[in-house]
DNA sequence: TTAAGTGCAAATATTTTGCTGTCAC
DNA sequence: GTGACAGCAAAATATTTGCACTTAA
């Protein structure tokens, strides 16, 4: 399990400011939602929560902000094995990279941190002379409670 | 690089027959396309190629057949880091699991087989008491020709 | 001031579904 | 014969874009 990260509120906002990126009301609302989320959210969920803060936030602004954060390398995009529909989920990039496990029966998502994962990426970079910018390892299967 | 797999033509069709799954003209065309593909194809590409064989094949049949093959564990679904749009790509499940690398500059997709990947999955199954059915490791970055 | 960001509406892309007729076994 | 599969059309879902107005720096 990844260690809970002690997060400074508004850090995401600061990271963008440090890069000279303009801050606006809708953007602030969306960043706050992503920052305080305790689970992986999709675009519609981010929209709904952001609207609870700033009523005027539009769906397209959510997508544009997600795009910005992806380009800046501040969030990761996940499929979670498409356990619910074809959309994507997002999470702050915090702490060590981790593996996402999706239970095909109960739908639970869990996370796993492993040094072997880091070694594997290093090995790939070396053996393939490939510079990794972003990586995603997802597995689908049966969790301890659901497996037979 | 994964070793090229010597493939018996019609093997996919046989695998379905062995499971008592009905064979039809459109299905045969789609299976053949997937089987003989030399690169990862998305649903639209599969449709176009299948239509070259059997003019009447419908897009929904392509999606239904992809769904069937996924449920049967005979193909893997890939995002290839969404280097082109939001769709999915498909490939025969053949030989050892491999990692997909997508170059963010030239778009080249390459593959990497590693024993470390297998160890990582074994470790996850043991440590998390999770039974893996399907896994997907994709990385985005810069290939040897494009990195600076 | 002005380049960047926004909401709104519409377009595009991707996948799924209902239905009715057909076909494999 | 019958349940599985097909094409077709339409719907559902997910994301992007053009445009005119607004705003942060």
């Amino acid at each position: 399990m990844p260690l809970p990260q002690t997060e400074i509120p508004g850090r995401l906002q600061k990271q963008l400011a440090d890069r000279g990126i303009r801050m606006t009301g809708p953007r602030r609302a969306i960043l706050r939602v992503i920052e305080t989320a305790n689970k992986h959210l999709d675009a519609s969920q981010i929209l709904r929560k952001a609207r609870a803060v700033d009523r005027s936030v539009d769906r397209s602004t959510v997508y544009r902000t997600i795009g910005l954060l992806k380009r800046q390398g501040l969030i990761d995009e996940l499929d979670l094995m498409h356990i619910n529909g074809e959309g994507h989920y997002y999470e702050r990039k915090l702490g060590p990279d981790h593996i996402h496990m999706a239970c095909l029966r109960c739908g639970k998502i869990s996370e796993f941190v492993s040094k072997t994962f880091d070694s594997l990426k290093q090995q790939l970079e070396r053996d393939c002379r490939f510079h990794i910018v972003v990586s995603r390892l997802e597995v689908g299967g049966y969790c301890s409670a659901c497996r037979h």
Side-chain angles (χ1 to χ4, degrees), chain A residues 120-136:
Chain A
L120 175 58
K121 284 184 289 186
Q122 279 168 32
Q123 186 190 67
L124 185 151
E125 291 207 303
R126 192 176 355 95
D127 292 4
C128 303
R129 298 171 19 87
F130 187 94
H131 176 238
I132 297 177
V133 173
V134 56
S135 67
R136 190 162 83 195

Side-chain angles (χ1 to χ4, degrees), chain A residues 70-88:
Chain A
K70 275 199 289 181
R71 283 192 305 281
Q72 294 294 322
L74 296 173
I75 59 173
D76 275 324
E77 183 176 70
L78 313 168
D79 280 11
L80 303 182
M81 293 322 265
H82 294 304
I83 266 196
N84 295 299
E86 295 299 313
H88 296 108

Side-chain angles (χ1 to χ4, degrees), chain A residues 7 9 31-39 41 49 92:
Chain A
E7 174 56 278
L31 298 182
R32 179 53 56 101
V33 167
I34 293 173
E35 210 161 43
T36 60
N38 51 4
K39 64 183 194 73
L41 302 176
K49 283 168 177 281
R92 263 314 283 292

Side-chain angles (χ1 to χ4, degrees), chain A residues 22-117:
Chain A
R22 216 174 266 192
M23 194 46 50
T24 66
R27 205 166 262 184
R28 228 185 309 272
I30 293 165
L31 298 182
R32 179 53 56 101
V33 167
I34 293 173
E35 210 161 43
T36 60
N38 51 4
K39 64 183 194 73
H40 309 101
L41 302 176
D42 66 17
S44 291
Q45 293 168 324
I46 293 172
L47 174 63
R48 189 160 40 72
K49 283 168 177 281
R51 271 196 169 142
V53 178
D54 176 347
R55 216 54 204 296
S56 72
V57 177
D58 190 73
R59 185 176 291 272
S60 59
T61 301
V62 170
Y63 279 108
R64 287 191 271 234
T65 304
I66 287 171
L68 171 69
L69 294 170
K70 275 199 289 181
R71 283 192 305 281
Q72 294 294 322
L74 296 173
I75 59 173
D76 275 324
E77 183 176 70
L78 313 168
D79 280 11
L80 303 182
M81 293 322 265
H82 294 304
I83 266 196
N84 295 299
E86 295 299 313
H88 296 108
Y89 296 85
Y90 301 93
E91 74 176 2
R92 263 314 283 292
K93 209 174 256 191
L94 275 179
D97 271 8
H98 48 272
I99 301 161
H100 288 94
M101 299 172 278
C103 178
L104 301 173
R105 182 147 173 274
C106 71
K108 190 179 76 168
I109 305 296
S110 28
E111 303 180 347
F112 178 56
V113 173
S114 162
K115 288 208 177 70
T116 310
F117 187 27

